[in-house]
Amino acid sequence: MASRRIRPRVVLRGVVLLASLAALGWLADWLARAGVLSERFVDTSIAGRGLAGYAIFLGIGALATALGFPRQVVAFLGGYAFGTIVGTELALAATLVGCAATFAYARVVARSMVAKRFAGRVRQFDEFLGMHPFQMTMIVRLLPVGSNVLTNLLAGVSRVKAVPFLAGSGVGYVPQTLAFALAGGGFAIDPALEIALAIALFVASALFGIALYRKHRHGAGLEASIDEALESGAPSPVDGK
């Protein structure tokens, strides 16, 4: 009878997963305790520092969104620090890098864990994106409900390819990123008008996303809580796709 031996690769994969989860937990705790996602940190460490400020913002923004912090906060701080145009560009870049990092982590490191934990949602995700991953990913990002980081994790263990998913995410991220960067103080105009424009843009993009979702879902859905929130108008406790 052949002896059963544990393959070193299996052990190594488990060690890498545990170590990575511990590191991610520490980084998330550090972000929360250090207050780097705050106007005070922007004032003291980012604004007015030129290329160094851009690099710090990109790094922190990408890390924050990869770990599940709301991308809308990153966009708001981008507008606050750099103005609407540059702030939108930097926040969009940071969010997309964070999206790619979470996608890659799920696909390369945590595939089995995520697939087991969210088996039903992964099947729904595959069904929803179907043959049009770019278009459907863009629609997902326009919706005002759902979890950005969970979407990235599900995509990482699904059959969707990276390029159309990231491209669709980049396009779908634009309206909300622009709206929150504008709310952060991008234009040197009346603050009340800034907020009004930001709200109008957010509402318009959300309604557009909901309309596209209902039109193109073809009987498929992302998850019951999202469908219920969109149909009933109930608020969602999660941060938005």
Side-chain angles (χ1 to χ4, degrees):
M1 179 177 179
S3 60
R4 296 181 178 179
R5 294 181 299 177
I6 299 177
R7 296 181 179 180
R9 180 180 298 179
V10 175
V11 176
L12 179 60
R13 186 179 302 166
V15 171
V16 170
L17 177 60
L18 288 173
S20 65
L21 290 174
L24 292 174
W26 181 86
L27 285 171
D29 182 64
W30 174 78
L31 279 176
R33 288 186 293 103
V36 296
L37 295 178
S38 67
E39 295 177 5
R40 179 180 179 182
F41 182 84
V42 169
D43 288 335
T44 58
S45 303
I46 294 178
R49 298 193 61 182
L51 293 178
Y54 292 173
I56 294 172
F57 179 82
L58 280 171
I60 290 176
L63 177 62
T65 53
L67 292 174
F69 287 83
R71 61 186 175 90
Q72 293 86 351
V73 173
V74 174
F76 179 91
L77 293 176
Y80 176 79
F82 306 110
T84 297
I85 303 302
V86 176
T88 297
E89 294 172 346
L90 291 173
L92 183 61
T95 303
L96 198 55
V97 170
C99 169
T102 307
F103 178 94
Y105 177 77
R107 179 149 296 188
V108 176
V109 179
R111 176 184 287 270
S112 59
M113 183 190 71
V114 176
K116 182 178 181 180
R117 174 66 177 82
F118 301 105
R121 293 186 179 185
V122 173
R123 288 194 296 271
Q124 287 180 307
F125 196 89
D126 272 326
E127 182 182 358
F128 182 76
L129 264 64
M131 299 297 293
H132 305 286
F134 171 84
Q135 177 184 355
M136 302 310 285
T137 300
M138 180 189 70
I139 292 173
V140 168
R141 300 307 191 180
L142 289 171
L143 295 177
V145 296
S147 168
N148 178 54
V149 71
L150 180 57
T151 298
N152 300 336
L153 289 171
L154 294 177
V157 300
S158 72
R159 295 191 300 270
V160 66
K161 294 182 179 180
V163 172
F165 175 74
L166 294 176
S169 294
V171 175
Y173 280 147
V174 171
Q176 285 194 35
T177 302
L178 178 59
F180 280 85
L182 178 59
F187 286 129
I189 54 178
D190 187 338
L193 181 56
E194 291 181 19
I195 299 300
L197 289 173
I199 293 174
L201 178 58
F202 175 79
V203 171
S205 66
L207 292 177
F208 182 58
I210 293 172
L212 289 177
Y213 177 75
R214 290 172 175 171
K215 179 179 180 180
H216 296 286
R217 59 182 294 186
H218 300 302
L222 291 171
E223 57 180 279
S225 62
I226 291 179
D227 292 336
E228 182 179 354
L230 293 179
E231 294 302 326
S232 66
S236 172
V238 286
D239 66 307
K241 299 261 181 195

